[in-house]
Amino acid sequence: MADVEALVAALTLEEKAALTAGADMFSLVGVDRVGIPQVNVTDGPSGARGLSYPGAGGAASSCLPCGSAVGATWDPAVAEALGELVGREAFERGCRGLLAPTVNLHRHPFAGRNFECYSEDPLLSGKLAAAYVRGVQGNGVFATVKHFVANEAEFERMTMSSDVDDRALRELYLVPFELAVKEGGALGIMTSYNRLNGSWLTEQQALLVDLLRDEWGFEGLVMTDWFAVASTETSLRSGLDLEMPAPARALGAVVGEAVADGRVPEADLDAAVARLLHALDRIGALDEPTPPLVPKPPTAADVDLLRRAAADACVLFTNDGLLPIEPTAVPRVAVIGEPAVSACIVGGGSAQVVQHPQTSALDALTTALGDGVEVTYARALEIGRSAAVLGTSVLPAPDGFTFERFAGEAFEGEVVERGGLDELRKMVIRLGQPEGEDERWTMRITGTVVPAVTGRFQLSLAQVGTSRVYLDDELVLDGVEDPPPRGGTDFFGYASLDKVTEVEVTAGTPIAVRVDYFYRGSGMAGVRVGFRTADADALLAEAVATAAEADVAVVFVGTNQEWESEGHDRRDFSLPRGQDDLVRRVLAANPRTAVVVNAASPVDLPWVDDVPATLQCWFGGQELGPAIADVLTGAAEPGGRLPTTYPERVEHSPSHDNFPGENGHVRYGEGVFLGYRGFDHRAVTPRFPFGHGLGYTTFSLGEPELSSPTFEPGGTLTISVPITNTGSRAGAEVVQLYVAPGSARLARPPKELKAFAKVRLAPGESRTVELVLDDRAFAYWDPGEPDGDVVAERLGDMLGAQQRAERRAPGWQVDPGTYALLVGRSAGDLPAQLTVEIPEPS
Ligand code: BGC
């Protein structure tokens, strides 16, 4: 352990100031002179990306199931194991900080980053977050819980004010952070871009100091989100320790100047530096530099974990017995839909990693079903928001593409970068690097596409900078002479709209592809060549015919990383690009149809009651394909339960009136009635309740027993629930316990999840699950009476003694009375009910 106080004392003012800002995009500043090494950090929740970016190159990383998938496991042990894996990979990449987990809540189905977050429920989110943090930090890497706080939409994400009342903050949005700190020992917090009740998070001492450090005992470092607003004068005092990334704007050298001219007390700077160094010291990062190792591919045990976790996350919505598929009973299986060969495994934005090669669900299912089953496949629809990238799907480039980046303006001069690409999308990230506006360079990408089909395609070009696309040496898209306007979503929103032309290809006839790219100092460089099938109706017809000829059809539908992404929210509850129509037409052609939903947030499922079986598989990480095959064939249980309510209509979502906000403010108008709390409160029946999910076996819950008929505040109460696997297969069940206050002084949700346990049982096996409740299971946050003084002043003696006595300071409040304890398998299936008394204080 380092002597942090001595280190701080040994630093010059400039060195201390420098430590409060990043050194570059993903490193903190080191001070060699006193032996403080430079520390690197990496995103993020779904894998340790290191300095690699999809499209920009670099080593591949394991891709974990996304946040909502982890939420669906309802299993802290799985979250901890995944945290351990990602922490280890972060360390291997020379990083001592991980920018994860993301613990904002699922407030609305459209929020772009729902996929990163666990749940609509704060307890489930917080228990999973704490476990993930423990896993990460066991590897000498600090976890950075983000984004603190009330960052539940992407709309105007850098400026929006989330206007949230104290009760909703305390009872919902702060809870996952609180548990990650108190139970997970998190050593990092990232403030969010948004404002909270009108003020930047980086300037809220009440949250960053009074709550986080003084009340919760947080001992780590607080950093900004990337390029988030901070203030030189107030942020350090408010509890911010680090501005990321470089070049610094509010902290760093600027703070040194502010201290020198007396605007910022040096003691505030010293305190921030000490907090930062303490956090780094706690994970051993001050001892010596952490050089990157050669990143290893995941071990067999890692792959097994990723596969089990993905299966554990799969939620079986409905099943009339069609699943699992028995190979002996179905000689012909039709697999339909793009996600069967290219399922989305992680949403868009900073959570993405350079991926390892994967086995598709189609291939895994074909293998699992064995030689006796004929598996046919039809693509059916192209579901992307933008065109598919050239080199994938039916226009593959078997040997990939190669690129050369030249220092010169005409494909000459020094080659500054050279490499291979699997698909024709290349990005060069220049953000945050000092450069001249007039910087110019060029890049040439070449490769050969061998079409798998004959037909007409719309070929499209999206770019940052300008480029020309040649097929067999003929110029087909000229983005230099006639560049398309800005407005695309790729390349972090810097891309142009698509420039499109139509081309005809013949199956098996190779096409030489060349892209000439010209960089013009735009801060970001990118080029992407995509394609769409011109005759979409023919694709659909082929899919229907394929389904009609099979004994069972499995239709894969979903969104992808373009629809669910950092940077923008979804706008439509329906599955994109006519996939509902696809399901209906396949179902009409083959009534024995199962649907697999590859989406990470709730989507509309208008056909779900007509389809024999529907399985939700989220963005399940790199082993998603094999995991889906495991679940479809019964090699694994669909172990998941919904971490978020699936509404019948998106308009039923309690936050819908106030999403995504207007005029710079999003009012969390539903207050504490978020998710199932709001559905219960308004007596609206959702399509699928929170906690729902079927299995392939059956369980019976016995009569729960209480350790005591009364609960004394300050103590604990144990509920013992016997559970038996009454079926003939091994399986998993999640025992869920909700607390319902009999009467309440303030408006309260009818019931709230207060304990849960995932149990895996062999056929016939029984176990007794013990669920423990403490004060917080019964408590609400009493915001006190902020207007009490006004009332007292205006009414004075007219107030009765009774009314005055009831005035309270803000705080957690447990009211005496009768509480119901509801035990079961989902918020909509709670057969066991007990009551407990909380006596009046004596
Ligand atoms: C995201 C963070 C992420 C950071 C660094 C930001 O845009 O909001 O979650 O950690 O970028 O990539």
Side-chain angles (χ1 to χ4, degrees):
M1 296 292 273
D3 182 345
V4 166
E5 273 59 44
L7 263 183
V8 176
L11 291 166
T12 66
L13 175 60
E14 288 69 31
E15 287 166 342
K16 287 187 286 192
L19 281 166
T20 63
D24 56 33
M25 194 66 175
F26 289 106
S27 326
L28 281 50
V29 167
V31 185
D32 278 352
R33 194 181 63 77
V34 293
I36 300 176
Q38 180 164 324
V39 168
N40 301 325
V41 298
T42 170
D43 282 301
S46 290
R49 183 156 55 73
L51 296 179
S52 313
Y53 272 101
S61 309
S62 294
C63 182
L64 278 47
C66 73
S68 44
V70 176
T73 67
W74 284 67
D75 194 343
V78 169
E80 184 161 347
L82 292 171
E84 194 285 325
L85 198 177
V86 75
R88 176 159 37 87
E89 291 202 358
F91 192 94
E92 274 174 19
R93 283 155 181 75
C95 299
R96 302 303 291 263
L98 184 81
L99 309 176
T102 311
V103 303
N104 301 110
L105 298 182
H106 294 162
R107 180 169 173 260
H108 190 281
F110 290 174
R113 294 182 90 166
N114 278 345
F115 76 90
E116 281 186 52
C117 311
Y118 297 122
S119 169
E120 72 184 14
D121 183 81
L123 181 82
L124 177 58
S125 299
K127 291 285 180 189
L128 293 169
Y132 179 95
V133 166
R134 287 192 296 269
V136 170
Q137 294 190 168
N139 288 285
V141 171
F142 67 84
T144 313
V145 193
K146 65 189 188 183
H147 308 85
F148 194 67
V149 58
N151 184 186
E152 272 81 21
E154 293 301 282
F155 178 60
E156 297 180 1
R157 70 173 182 148
M158 307 289 276
T159 54
M160 188 58 105
S161 175
S162 299
D163 297 344
V164 195
D165 65 52
D166 281 358
R167 280 195 66 202
L169 266 179
R170 286 286 192 158
E171 295 182 27
L172 300 173
Y173 300 98
L174 287 168
V175 172
F177 293 94
E178 182 180 1
L179 292 174
V181 167
K182 288 184 178 168
E183 296 187 7
L187 287 168
I189 293 280
M190 185 189 289
T191 58
S192 50
Y193 286 130
N194 55 280
R195 292 172 292 151
L196 176 69
N197 298 323
S199 308
W200 302 109
L201 262 308
T202 50
E203 295 177 49
Q204 301 220 25
Q205 186 176 346
L207 284 176
L208 300 185
V209 178
D210 305 348
L211 177 77
L212 194 54
R213 295 188 187 279
D214 297 348
E215 201 179 311
W216 294 351
F218 176 67
E219 291 178 350
L221 74 111
V222 176
M223 68 175 78
T224 61
D225 196 347
W226 266 228
F227 307 102
V229 175
S231 130
T232 309
E233 267 76 23
T234 55
S235 289
L236 288 183
R237 189 174 56 232
S238 305
L240 180 72
D241 306 318
L242 178 66
E243 179 194 348
M244 286 301 286
R249 292 154 303 143
L251 304 190
V254 192
V255 172
E257 290 158 25
V259 170
D261 65 23
R263 278 177 292 134
V264 170
E266 188 159 2
D268 287 354
L269 174 61
D270 287 356
V273 172
R275 292 191 299 250
L276 180 104
L277 294 178
H278 268 300
L280 299 184
D281 193 38
R282 286 275 299 275
I283 43 116
L286 291 186
D287 297 342
E288 55 190 34
T290 314
L293 308 171
V294 178
K296 295 195 208 96
T299 63
D302 294 339
V303 171
D304 184 55
L305 166 68
L306 293 169
R307 184 167 172 167
R308 272 189 296 117
D312 262 359
C314 282
V315 176
L316 187 59
F317 285 134
T318 54
N319 185 20
D320 74 354
L322 182 63
L323 297 181
I325 299 172
E326 294 291 343
T328 45
V330 285
R332 289 168 310 170
V333 173
V335 176
I336 313 281
E338 265 194 338
V341 288
S342 53
C344 181
I345 63 167
V346 60
S350 55
Q352 286 181 292
V353 297
V354 174
Q355 299 174 8
H356 291 294
Q358 291 142 48
T359 306
S360 70
L362 174 64
D363 288 348
L365 189 60
T366 306
T367 308
L369 290 172
D371 292 343
V373 179
E374 185 197 345
V375 177
T376 49
Y377 173 66
R379 215 153 44 98
L381 290 172
E382 289 162 351
I383 68 167
R385 185 173 166 166
S386 33
V389 186
L390 199 63
T392 64
S393 183
V394 288
L395 295 185
D399 299 325
F401 298 89
T402 49
F403 70 89
E404 278 189 317
R405 196 147 74 79
F406 302 89
E409 291 189 42
F411 312 97
E412 29 58 61
E414 187 197 347
V415 175
V416 290
E417 195 190 354
R418 170 183 280 136
L421 302 169
D422 294 337
E423 51 185 47
L424 219 169
R425 176 177 179 273
K426 171 70 182 159
M427 167 169 72
V428 181
I429 297 173
R430 308 284 303 158
L431 287 179
Q433 295 178 21
E435 62 169 299
E437 279 284 295
D438 52 359
E439 184 180 325
R440 301 271 185 274
W441 46 261
T442 47
M443 175 167 67
R444 177 161 285 161
I445 308 174
T446 54
T448 302
V449 165
V450 184
V453 294
T454 297
R456 293 193 70 72
F457 288 90
Q458 291 166 346
L459 200 71
S460 58
L461 166 69
Q463 58 187 16
V464 197
T466 58
S467 37
R468 293 193 172 103
V469 181
Y470 300 83
L471 297 188
D472 290 331
D473 286 329
E474 185 194 332
L475 178 63
V476 291
L477 283 164
D478 191 343
V480 178
E481 283 305 312
D482 183 18
R486 276 280 297 268
T489 53
D490 206 351
F491 307 122
F492 299 101
Y494 286 82
S496 69
L497 293 174
D498 281 356
K499 185 178 178 67
V500 182
T501 188
E502 218 168 84
V503 297
E504 182 130 24
V505 307
T506 308
T509 305
I511 307 166
V513 181
R514 188 177 102 222
V515 174
D516 286 350
Y517 174 85
F518 303 85
Y519 180 73
R520 296 279 179 269
S522 43
M524 165 75 80
V527 60
R528 174 191 211 271
V529 180
F531 69 92
R532 280 190 201 281
T533 301
D535 188 359
D537 288 349
L539 282 186
L540 200 53
E542 181 202 345
V544 172
T546 308
E549 282 160 18
D551 300 291
V552 167
V554 185
V555 188
F556 286 72
V557 294
T559 60
N560 65 15
Q561 70 287 346
E562 291 185 306
W563 298 107
E564 296 194 56
S565 175
E566 181 177 338
H568 58 87
D569 300 310
R570 268 163 61 216
R571 294 202 177 147
D572 202 336
F573 195 41
S574 300
L575 285 163
R577 304 229 173 265
Q579 294 178 88
D580 290 330
D581 186 39
L582 169 68
V583 173
R584 290 209 182 281
R585 290 180 62 175
V586 169
L587 187 64
N590 189 333
R592 283 164 61 77
T593 290
V595 180
V596 178
V597 183
N598 177 215
S601 302
V603 290
D604 197 8
L605 307 170
W607 32 259
V608 77
D609 292 336
D610 305 325
V611 171
T614 299
L615 180 75
Q616 161 66 272
C617 71
W618 316 101
F619 296 164
Q622 68 182 47
E623 299 306 318
L624 180 59
I628 292 173
D630 290 345
V631 173
L632 289 177
T633 57
E637 266 282 301
R641 302 294 181 264
L642 284 180
T644 288
T645 310
Y646 250 68
E648 180 95 38
R649 298 177 57 103
V650 72
E651 292 82 0
H652 294 168
S653 299
S655 61
H656 192 69
D657 291 351
N658 297 286
F659 187 92
E662 55 197 22
N663 285 343
H665 289 260
V666 51
R667 200 165 66 82
Y668 283 36
E670 70 284 7
V672 291
F673 300 104
L674 174 69
Y676 65 86
R677 292 163 164 81
F679 281 86
D680 282 354
H681 186 60
R682 298 249 176 262
V684 175
T685 305
R687 178 156 342 253
F688 295 114
F690 175 77
H692 170 75
L694 306 176
Y696 292 148
T697 184
T698 49
F699 289 92
S700 83
L701 288 182
E703 203 51 46
E705 278 181 21
L706 284 183
S707 56
S708 160
T710 57
F711 172 74
E712 293 289 344
T716 59
L717 181 75
T718 303
I719 296 94
S720 307
V721 188
I723 174 164
T724 304
N725 180 348
T726 49
S728 55
R729 308 169 57 100
E733 186 57 285
V734 178
V735 182
Q736 304 170 30
L737 167 59
Y738 296 77
V739 175
S743 63
R745 201 179 63 85
L746 302 183
R748 296 189 68 178
K751 64 173 184 281
E752 298 182 276
L753 180 76
K754 293 300 175 186
F756 60 92
K758 188 154 191 178
V759 205
R760 290 163 218 278
L761 295 178
E765 190 182 349
S766 298
R767 192 171 310 160
T768 297
V769 175
E770 302 217 317
L771 302 167
V772 181
L773 302 180
D774 61 13
D775 280 21
R776 281 288 285 275
F778 302 95
Y780 58 90
W781 179 261
D782 186 346
E785 261 187 288
D787 299 334
D789 290 348
V790 179
V791 176
E793 193 184 302
R794 288 302 294 252
L795 299 182
D797 291 341
M798 288 163 67
L799 283 176
Q802 173 68 24
Q803 202 171 337
R804 238 170 294 171
E806 275 191 3
R807 258 181 228 143
R808 293 183 240 246
W812 291 107
Q813 179 69 31
V814 177
D815 285 345
T818 306
Y819 291 76
L821 305 177
L822 313 173
V823 183
R825 300 189 185 90
S826 82
D829 177 14
L830 297 167
Q833 200 173 15
L834 308 158
T835 55
V836 62
E837 282 302 314
I838 300 189
E840 292 284 344
S842 43

